[in-house]
Amino acid sequence: MKILAIETSCDETAAAVVAWQKGRPVVLSNIVSSQIAIHQKYGGVVPEIAAREHVLNILPVIEEALLAAGITRKQAPKKLAAIAVTAGPGLITSLMMGVETARSLAVAWDLPLIDVNHIEGHMSACWLGEKLPELPAVVMTVSGGHNMLVLIKEPLKYKILGDTRDDAAGEAFDKAAKILGLGYPGGPAIAASAATINNYQLSIINERVAPSTSSGQVAKIVLPRPMINSGDFDFSFSGLKTALLYQIQKDSSINSGQANWQGRRAEYAAEFQSAVADTLVSKTIKAAKKFGAKTVMLSGGVSANKVLRAELERRVADKLPGTRVIIAPQAYTTDNAAMIGAAALFRLRAGKTIIWSKLKADPNLEIK
Ligand code: KG4
Ligand code: ZN
Protein backbone atom coordinates (compact mmCIF):
# COMPACT_ATOMS: atom_id res chain seq x y z
CA MET A 1 0.00 0.00 0.00
CA LYS A 2 1.71 3.19 -1.26
CA ILE A 3 0.46 6.72 -0.86
CA LEU A 4 1.54 10.10 -2.13
CA ALA A 5 1.66 12.72 0.65
CA ILE A 6 1.76 16.51 0.20
CA GLU A 7 2.72 19.15 2.78
CA THR A 8 2.58 22.91 2.18
CA SER A 9 1.41 24.35 5.52
CA CYS A 10 4.18 26.95 5.85
CA ASP A 11 7.28 27.61 3.75
CA GLU A 12 8.36 24.12 2.68
CA THR A 13 6.88 22.56 -0.46
CA ALA A 14 7.09 18.84 0.24
CA ALA A 15 5.97 15.55 -1.27
CA ALA A 16 6.72 11.96 -0.30
CA VAL A 17 5.77 8.41 -1.17
CA VAL A 18 5.25 6.28 1.92
CA ALA A 19 4.33 2.59 2.02
CA TRP A 20 2.94 0.27 4.68
CA GLN A 21 5.45 -2.56 4.98
CA LYS A 22 5.76 -5.23 7.67
CA GLY A 23 3.38 -3.50 10.04
CA ARG A 24 4.82 0.01 9.82
CA PRO A 25 5.17 3.07 7.57
CA VAL A 26 8.30 3.12 5.39
CA VAL A 27 9.49 6.14 3.41
CA LEU A 28 10.16 5.40 -0.28
CA SER A 29 10.90 9.01 -1.24
CA ASN A 30 10.92 12.35 0.56
CA ILE A 31 11.41 15.62 -1.34
CA VAL A 32 11.46 19.00 0.42
CA SER A 33 11.87 22.28 -1.42
CA SER A 34 12.81 24.78 1.27
CA GLN A 35 12.13 28.49 0.93
CA ILE A 36 14.43 29.46 3.82
CA ALA A 37 16.83 31.36 1.55
CA ILE A 38 13.94 33.41 0.14
CA HIS A 39 12.40 34.38 3.49
CA GLN A 40 15.75 34.90 5.26
CA LYS A 41 16.10 38.49 4.09
CA TYR A 42 12.73 39.37 5.66
CA GLY A 43 13.64 37.70 8.98
CA GLY A 44 10.60 35.40 8.83
CA VAL A 45 8.05 33.76 6.56
CA VAL A 46 6.10 36.15 4.30
CA PRO A 47 2.80 34.32 3.60
CA GLU A 48 2.17 35.85 0.18
CA ILE A 49 5.66 34.93 -1.03
CA ALA A 50 5.37 31.42 0.45
CA ALA A 51 2.13 30.80 -1.46
CA ARG A 52 3.62 32.01 -4.75
CA GLU A 53 6.64 29.74 -4.29
CA HIS A 54 4.35 26.76 -3.58
CA VAL A 55 2.57 27.44 -6.89
CA LEU A 56 5.88 27.22 -8.74
CA ASN A 57 7.26 24.23 -6.85
CA ILE A 58 4.40 21.89 -6.13
CA LEU A 59 4.15 19.89 -9.37
CA PRO A 60 7.93 19.48 -9.88
CA VAL A 61 8.29 18.37 -6.23
CA ILE A 62 5.46 15.81 -6.61
CA GLU A 63 6.93 14.53 -9.87
CA GLU A 64 10.35 14.15 -8.22
CA ALA A 65 8.88 12.28 -5.23
CA LEU A 66 6.99 9.87 -7.51
CA LEU A 67 10.02 9.20 -9.73
CA ALA A 68 12.32 8.71 -6.72
CA ALA A 69 9.89 6.02 -5.56
CA GLY A 70 9.97 4.41 -9.02
CA ILE A 71 6.51 5.58 -10.06
CA THR A 72 5.89 7.42 -13.32
CA ARG A 73 2.97 9.84 -13.61
CA LYS A 74 1.24 7.35 -15.90
CA GLN A 75 1.58 4.57 -13.33
CA ALA A 76 0.48 6.74 -10.40
CA PRO A 77 -3.29 6.07 -10.56
CA LYS A 78 -2.66 2.29 -10.41
CA LYS A 79 0.32 2.17 -8.08
CA LEU A 80 -0.96 4.58 -5.45
CA ALA A 81 -3.63 3.64 -2.90
CA ALA A 82 -4.45 7.24 -1.91
CA ILE A 83 -3.34 10.87 -1.80
CA ALA A 84 -2.75 12.52 1.57
CA VAL A 85 -2.43 16.21 2.32
CA THR A 86 -1.98 18.54 5.28
CA ALA A 87 -5.36 20.25 5.83
CA GLY A 88 -4.19 22.47 8.73
CA PRO A 89 -3.16 24.14 10.94
CA GLY A 90 -0.89 26.55 9.07
CA LEU A 91 -0.91 29.56 6.78
CA ILE A 92 -4.17 29.52 4.83
CA THR A 93 -2.73 30.51 1.45
CA SER A 94 0.05 27.93 1.82
CA LEU A 95 -2.34 25.17 2.94
CA MET A 96 -4.68 25.88 0.03
CA MET A 97 -1.96 25.13 -2.51
CA GLY A 98 -1.43 21.62 -1.15
CA VAL A 99 -5.12 20.98 -0.61
CA GLU A 100 -6.18 22.08 -4.09
CA THR A 101 -3.37 20.11 -5.73
CA ALA A 102 -4.25 16.96 -3.75
CA ARG A 103 -7.92 17.39 -4.58
CA SER A 104 -7.20 17.83 -8.30
CA LEU A 105 -4.92 14.78 -8.46
CA ALA A 106 -7.39 12.64 -6.49
CA VAL A 107 -10.18 13.56 -8.91
CA ALA A 108 -8.03 13.11 -12.02
CA TRP A 109 -6.57 9.78 -10.85
CA ASP A 110 -9.74 8.62 -9.08
CA LEU A 111 -7.95 7.97 -5.79
CA PRO A 112 -9.15 8.30 -2.17
CA LEU A 113 -8.08 11.42 -0.27
CA ILE A 114 -6.79 11.58 3.30
CA ASP A 115 -6.73 14.85 5.25
CA VAL A 116 -4.00 15.04 7.87
CA ASN A 117 -3.54 17.43 10.79
CA HIS A 118 -0.02 18.92 10.64
CA ILE A 119 0.66 18.21 14.34
CA GLU A 120 -0.54 14.63 13.94
CA GLY A 121 1.97 14.48 11.09
CA HIS A 122 4.81 15.70 13.31
CA MET A 123 3.91 13.10 15.96
CA SER A 124 3.77 10.35 13.32
CA ALA A 125 7.40 11.06 12.37
CA CYS A 126 8.22 9.06 15.52
CA TRP A 127 7.08 5.93 13.66
CA LEU A 128 9.72 6.47 10.95
CA GLY A 129 12.80 5.52 12.98
CA GLU A 130 14.31 2.16 13.88
CA LYS A 131 12.51 1.65 17.19
CA LEU A 132 8.73 1.80 17.28
CA PRO A 133 6.74 3.47 20.07
CA GLU A 134 4.77 1.41 22.55
CA LEU A 135 1.51 2.89 23.84
CA PRO A 136 0.51 4.69 25.99
CA ALA A 137 2.89 7.41 24.90
CA VAL A 138 3.37 11.03 25.85
CA VAL A 139 4.43 13.12 22.85
CA MET A 140 5.98 16.57 22.93
CA THR A 141 5.56 18.32 19.57
CA VAL A 142 7.46 21.54 19.42
CA SER A 143 7.86 23.68 16.33
CA GLY A 144 7.60 27.25 15.14
CA GLY A 145 3.83 27.30 15.49
CA HIS A 146 3.10 24.58 18.05
CA ASN A 147 4.12 23.50 21.50
CA MET A 148 1.90 20.64 22.51
CA LEU A 149 2.00 17.75 24.95
CA VAL A 150 -0.29 14.92 23.84
CA LEU A 151 -1.20 11.57 25.37
CA ILE A 152 -1.72 8.72 22.89
CA LYS A 153 -3.41 5.73 24.54
CA GLU A 154 -4.42 4.05 21.30
CA PRO A 155 -3.66 4.79 17.64
CA LEU A 156 -5.45 7.87 16.25
CA LYS A 157 -6.78 8.92 19.67
CA TYR A 158 -5.13 12.08 20.95
CA LYS A 159 -5.66 13.76 24.30
CA ILE A 160 -4.11 17.22 24.56
CA LEU A 161 -2.43 17.56 27.95
CA GLY A 162 -0.96 21.02 27.45
CA ASP A 163 -0.35 23.73 24.91
CA THR A 164 1.42 27.05 24.75
CA ARG A 165 -0.40 30.07 26.13
CA ASP A 166 1.52 32.43 23.83
CA ASP A 167 4.60 31.69 21.72
CA ALA A 168 5.75 28.21 20.81
CA ALA A 169 9.38 27.37 21.63
CA GLY A 170 10.38 27.55 17.94
CA GLU A 171 8.89 31.02 17.67
CA ALA A 172 10.80 31.99 20.82
CA PHE A 173 14.03 30.64 19.30
CA ASP A 174 13.35 32.71 16.16
CA LYS A 175 12.64 35.91 18.14
CA ALA A 176 15.61 35.38 20.49
CA ALA A 177 17.90 34.92 17.49
CA LYS A 178 16.64 38.22 16.10
CA ILE A 179 17.41 39.94 19.43
CA LEU A 180 20.89 38.38 19.39
CA GLY A 181 21.44 39.31 15.73
CA LEU A 182 21.85 35.67 14.79
CA GLY A 183 19.57 35.49 11.75
CA TYR A 184 16.74 33.25 10.58
CA PRO A 185 15.71 30.53 11.27
CA GLY A 186 16.60 31.13 14.88
CA GLY A 187 16.73 27.59 16.25
CA PRO A 188 19.70 26.34 14.24
CA ALA A 189 21.43 29.77 14.58
CA ILE A 190 21.15 29.74 18.39
CA ALA A 191 22.27 26.10 18.54
CA ALA A 192 25.31 26.89 16.39
CA SER A 193 26.28 29.89 18.49
CA ALA A 194 25.88 27.92 21.75
CA ALA A 195 27.99 25.12 20.29
CA THR A 196 31.00 27.45 20.08
CA ILE A 197 31.31 27.29 23.89
CA ASN A 198 33.78 24.65 25.01
CA ASN A 199 32.36 22.08 27.41
CA TYR A 200 28.94 23.63 27.19
CA GLN A 201 26.68 22.00 29.71
CA LEU A 202 22.99 22.47 29.82
CA SER A 203 22.01 24.37 32.94
CA ILE A 204 19.22 22.81 34.92
CA ILE A 205 17.82 25.32 37.32
CA ASN A 206 15.61 22.85 39.13
CA GLU A 207 18.63 20.71 39.86
CA ARG A 208 20.72 23.73 40.78
CA VAL A 209 23.47 23.24 38.24
CA ALA A 210 24.82 26.57 37.09
CA PRO A 211 25.68 27.20 33.45
CA SER A 212 29.36 26.95 32.65
CA THR A 213 31.40 29.04 30.25
CA SER A 214 34.43 28.45 28.07
CA SER A 215 36.66 29.60 30.89
CA GLY A 216 35.02 27.14 33.23
CA GLN A 217 33.71 29.95 35.40
CA VAL A 218 30.10 30.23 36.37
CA ALA A 219 28.27 32.50 33.92
CA LYS A 220 26.07 35.23 35.32
CA ILE A 221 23.41 34.74 32.72
CA VAL A 222 20.43 32.90 34.13
CA LEU A 223 17.11 32.99 32.31
CA PRO A 224 13.76 31.90 33.74
CA ARG A 225 12.18 28.49 33.13
CA PRO A 226 8.65 29.71 32.39
CA MET A 227 5.84 27.78 34.12
CA ILE A 228 8.19 24.93 35.01
CA ASN A 229 6.41 24.34 38.31
CA SER A 230 2.93 25.45 37.24
CA GLY A 231 1.34 22.11 38.08
CA ASP A 232 -0.25 21.81 34.64
CA PHE A 233 1.24 20.94 31.25
CA ASP A 234 0.94 24.33 29.59
CA PHE A 235 3.85 26.42 28.34
CA SER A 236 4.60 30.09 27.85
CA PHE A 237 7.74 31.22 26.03
CA SER A 238 6.94 34.83 25.23
CA GLY A 239 8.29 36.10 28.57
CA LEU A 240 11.53 34.18 28.14
CA LYS A 241 12.36 36.17 25.03
CA THR A 242 11.53 39.41 26.88
CA ALA A 243 13.75 38.34 29.82
CA LEU A 244 16.59 37.79 27.35
CA LEU A 245 16.04 41.24 25.85
CA TYR A 246 16.04 42.95 29.28
CA GLN A 247 19.20 41.15 30.40
CA ILE A 248 21.03 42.18 27.24
CA GLN A 249 19.88 45.79 27.66
CA LYS A 250 21.20 45.78 31.24
CA ASP A 251 24.43 43.96 30.46
CA SER A 252 27.09 46.51 31.42
CA SER A 253 29.84 44.46 29.81
CA ILE A 254 28.13 44.98 26.46
CA ASN A 255 27.19 48.60 27.03
CA SER A 256 30.68 49.56 28.16
CA GLY A 257 31.97 48.09 24.93
CA GLN A 258 34.44 45.87 26.80
CA ALA A 259 32.80 42.61 26.00
CA ASN A 260 33.81 40.22 23.35
CA TRP A 261 30.29 40.23 21.91
CA GLN A 262 30.73 36.97 19.97
CA GLY A 263 31.63 35.11 23.14
CA ARG A 264 29.07 36.83 25.33
CA ARG A 265 26.39 36.27 22.69
CA ALA A 266 27.20 32.56 22.64
CA GLU A 267 26.63 32.48 26.40
CA TYR A 268 23.22 34.11 25.96
CA ALA A 269 22.40 31.64 23.19
CA ALA A 270 23.51 28.71 25.35
CA GLU A 271 21.47 29.81 28.34
CA PHE A 272 18.42 30.47 26.16
CA GLN A 273 18.74 26.97 24.68
CA SER A 274 19.14 25.55 28.20
CA ALA A 275 16.05 27.36 29.45
CA VAL A 276 13.91 26.01 26.62
CA ALA A 277 15.27 22.44 26.81
CA ASP A 278 15.08 22.37 30.63
CA THR A 279 11.44 23.50 30.60
CA LEU A 280 10.31 21.19 27.79
CA VAL A 281 12.04 18.11 29.19
CA SER A 282 10.92 18.75 32.75
CA LYS A 283 7.24 19.00 31.80
CA THR A 284 7.39 16.05 29.42
CA ILE A 285 8.82 13.87 32.18
CA LYS A 286 6.16 15.00 34.65
CA ALA A 287 3.43 14.13 32.12
CA ALA A 288 4.99 10.73 31.34
CA LYS A 289 5.13 9.94 35.05
CA LYS A 290 1.55 11.05 35.71
CA PHE A 291 0.06 9.10 32.81
CA GLY A 292 2.25 6.00 33.09
CA ALA A 293 3.69 6.36 29.59
CA LYS A 294 5.65 3.43 28.18
CA THR A 295 7.17 5.74 25.58
CA VAL A 296 8.21 9.38 25.63
CA MET A 297 8.25 10.92 22.17
CA LEU A 298 9.65 14.17 20.78
CA SER A 299 8.84 15.69 17.39
CA GLY A 300 8.56 18.96 15.45
CA GLY A 301 11.11 21.39 14.08
CA VAL A 302 12.64 22.18 17.48
CA SER A 303 13.26 18.45 18.04
CA ALA A 304 16.12 18.88 15.56
CA ASN A 305 17.94 20.52 18.48
CA LYS A 306 20.76 18.20 19.60
CA VAL A 307 20.91 19.55 23.16
CA LEU A 308 17.17 19.02 23.61
CA ARG A 309 17.37 15.50 22.15
CA ALA A 310 20.28 14.52 24.38
CA GLU A 311 18.72 16.05 27.48
CA LEU A 312 15.45 14.16 26.99
CA GLU A 313 17.35 10.87 26.58
CA ARG A 314 19.50 11.59 29.62
CA ARG A 315 16.73 12.63 31.96
CA VAL A 316 14.27 9.89 30.98
CA ALA A 317 17.01 7.29 31.56
CA ASP A 318 17.67 8.92 34.93
CA LYS A 319 14.12 9.60 36.15
CA LEU A 320 12.02 7.02 34.29
CA PRO A 321 14.25 3.97 33.78
CA GLY A 322 12.67 1.42 31.44
CA THR A 323 10.69 4.04 29.56
CA ARG A 324 11.38 4.12 25.83
CA VAL A 325 12.50 7.41 24.26
CA ILE A 326 11.62 7.87 20.62
CA ILE A 327 12.66 11.06 18.88
CA ALA A 328 11.70 11.85 15.30
CA PRO A 329 14.66 10.98 13.01
CA GLN A 330 16.56 14.20 12.14
CA ALA A 331 15.36 14.15 8.50
CA TYR A 332 11.72 14.22 9.65
CA THR A 333 11.90 16.90 12.36
CA THR A 334 11.31 20.09 10.37
CA ASP A 335 8.37 20.19 7.95
CA ASN A 336 8.25 17.32 5.46
CA ALA A 337 5.67 15.16 3.71
CA ALA A 338 6.96 11.76 4.87
CA MET A 339 5.48 12.42 8.32
CA ILE A 340 2.15 13.35 6.69
CA GLY A 341 2.30 10.08 4.75
CA ALA A 342 2.98 8.13 7.95
CA ALA A 343 -0.04 9.69 9.69
CA ALA A 344 -2.16 9.10 6.58
CA LEU A 345 -1.31 5.39 6.45
CA PHE A 346 -2.71 4.92 9.96
CA ARG A 347 -5.84 6.80 8.91
CA LEU A 348 -6.23 4.89 5.65
CA ARG A 349 -5.91 1.55 7.46
CA ALA A 350 -8.69 2.69 9.79
CA GLY A 351 -10.86 3.61 6.80
CA LYS A 352 -10.64 7.34 7.45
CA THR A 353 -10.72 8.98 4.02
CA ILE A 354 -12.49 12.16 2.95
CA ILE A 355 -14.66 12.84 -0.10
CA TRP A 356 -12.88 15.28 -2.45
CA SER A 357 -15.68 17.84 -2.26
CA LYS A 358 -15.48 17.95 1.56
CA LEU A 359 -11.73 18.53 1.86
CA LYS A 360 -11.00 22.00 3.23
CA ALA A 361 -7.87 23.88 4.25
CA ASP A 362 -8.33 25.04 7.85
CA PRO A 363 -5.64 27.36 9.31
CA ASN A 364 -6.88 26.60 12.85
CA LEU A 365 -7.57 22.88 12.47
CA GLU A 366 -7.64 21.25 15.89
CA ILE A 367 -6.35 17.84 16.82
CA LYS A 368 -8.90 15.30 17.99
O1 KG4 B 1 8.15 22.06 12.30
P1 KG4 B 1 8.74 23.26 11.65
O2 KG4 B 1 9.61 23.03 10.44
O3 KG4 B 1 7.62 24.27 11.23
C1 KG4 B 1 6.45 24.50 11.98
O4 KG4 B 1 5.55 23.62 11.94
O5 KG4 B 1 6.44 25.55 12.66
O6 KG4 B 1 9.55 24.03 12.78
C2 KG4 B 1 10.30 25.18 12.50
C3 KG4 B 1 10.87 25.71 13.79
C4 KG4 B 1 11.52 27.07 13.67
O7 KG4 B 1 11.04 27.90 14.70
C5 KG4 B 1 13.01 26.76 13.86
O8 KG4 B 1 13.73 27.83 14.47
C6 KG4 B 1 12.96 25.55 14.76
O9 KG4 B 1 11.87 24.80 14.29
N1 KG4 B 1 14.20 24.75 14.68
C7 KG4 B 1 15.04 24.56 15.70
C8 KG4 B 1 16.13 23.82 15.20
N2 KG4 B 1 15.89 23.57 13.88
C9 KG4 B 1 14.70 24.13 13.57
N3 KG4 B 1 14.98 24.98 16.98
C10 KG4 B 1 16.00 24.66 17.79
N4 KG4 B 1 17.09 23.99 17.38
C11 KG4 B 1 17.20 23.53 16.10
N5 KG4 B 1 18.28 22.84 15.73
ZN1 ZN C 1 5.67 21.85 11.38
Side-chain angles (χ1 to χ4, degrees):
M1 194 193 318
K2 291 175 189 168
I3 59 171
L4 168 68
I6 298 168
E7 151 66 41
T8 63
S9 68
C10 191
D11 61 336
E12 325 282 357
T13 318
V17 176
V18 183
W20 189 264
Q21 284 174 2
K22 295 185 186 149
R24 58 176 303 167
V26 173
V27 181
L28 303 184
S29 68
N30 181 44
I31 308 296
V32 181
S33 169
S34 172
Q35 301 176 13
I36 285 180
I38 295 165
H39 298 280
Q40 225 151 23
K41 56 178 173 285
Y42 305 103
V45 176
V46 184
E48 166 79 17
I49 296 175
R52 284 166 185 248
E53 287 299 312
H54 286 314
V55 173
L56 298 176
N57 296 334
I58 189 104
L59 288 179
V61 165
I62 289 173
E63 176 102 324
E64 201 180 332
L66 288 172
L67 289 176
I71 301 172
T72 64
R73 212 183 311 149
K74 217 171 175 183
Q75 294 168 329
K78 285 227 161 62
K79 288 207 170 175
L80 295 175
I83 295 179
V85 65
T86 306
L91 300 171
I92 182 65
T93 43
S94 286
L95 287 166
M96 281 173 73
M97 254 329 289
V99 161
E100 295 315 323
T101 306
R103 193 199 318 274
S104 306
L105 289 178
V107 170
W109 292 345
D110 198 19
L111 287 170
L113 262 176
I114 306 160
D115 52 330
V116 176
N117 181 299
H118 183 75
I119 300 167
E120 182 182 15
H122 273 303
M123 293 193 282
S124 303
C126 293
W127 270 267
L128 293 174
E130 279 172 26
K131 285 188 292 175
L132 288 179
E134 231 189 304
L135 302 181
V138 160
V139 196
M140 164 66 72
T141 300
V142 58
S143 68
H146 315 286
N147 206 131
M148 215 176 246
L149 252 179
V150 171
L151 174 67
I152 310 180
K153 278 194 184 161
E154 46 185 296
L156 300 171
K157 293 240 164 91
Y158 307 105
K159 182 176 177 354
I160 298 172
L161 304 177
D163 204 342
T164 181
R165 298 204 181 159
D166 40 55
D167 294 354
E171 196 175 345
F173 265 112
D174 294 336
K175 288 177 177 169
K178 219 177 229 179
I179 293 169
L180 291 167
L182 283 169
Y184 171 86
I190 287 191
S193 175
T196 61
I197 296 182
N198 291 332
N199 304 321
Y200 163 53
Q201 277 181 9
L202 185 133
S203 61
I204 302 162
I205 284 196
N206 267 1
E207 295 183 6
R208 300 196 176 283
V209 179
S212 61
T213 66
S214 49
S215 61
Q217 290 167 347
V218 173
K220 293 194 184 63
I221 305 163
V222 177
L223 291 168
R225 271 56 175 162
M227 297 182 67
I228 199 162
N229 293 317
S230 62
D232 56 20
F233 298 110
D234 280 347
F235 301 88
S236 161
F237 286 108
S238 163
L240 177 60
K241 153 213 80 193
T242 313
L244 172 77
L245 179 66
Y246 286 169
Q247 286 212 26
I248 291 176
Q249 283 171 347
K250 280 192 306 197
D251 193 328
S252 59
S253 60
I254 297 170
N255 296 336
S256 65
Q258 289 165 357
N260 166 2
W261 176 228
Q262 292 282 83
R264 190 69 175 152
R265 176 162 74 175
E267 287 173 7
Y268 278 106
E271 173 56 8
F272 187 85
Q273 182 173 246
S274 288
V276 173
D278 192 9
T279 309
L280 293 175
V281 170
S282 166
K283 290 211 145 175
T284 305
I285 287 186
K286 279 181 195 164
K289 222 180 238 175
K290 177 163 179 185
F291 294 97
K294 288 190 179 154
T295 311
V296 172
M297 287 157 43
L298 177 66
S299 67
V302 178
S303 74
N305 189 282
K306 292 200 173 71
V307 169
L308 173 63
R309 295 169 82 93
E311 189 59 12
L312 184 69
E313 299 262 14
R314 186 188 75 75
R315 256 198 270 180
V316 171
D318 183 33
K319 306 259 188 262
L320 301 169
T323 306
R324 213 174 268 209
V325 179
I326 298 203
I327 304 177
Q330 276 287 353
Y332 310 123
T333 51
T334 49
D335 289 349
N336 64 87
M339 66 185 198
I340 303 302
L345 279 168
F346 287 107
R347 298 189 85 77
L348 182 61
R349 287 169 52 78
K352 291 180 189 283
T353 57
I354 187 166
I355 296 163
W356 66 266
S357 55
K358 293 245 165 83
L359 178 68
K360 196 168 163 268
D362 180 353
N364 303 312
L365 186 66
E366 288 186 1
I367 199 144
K368 291 186 199 99

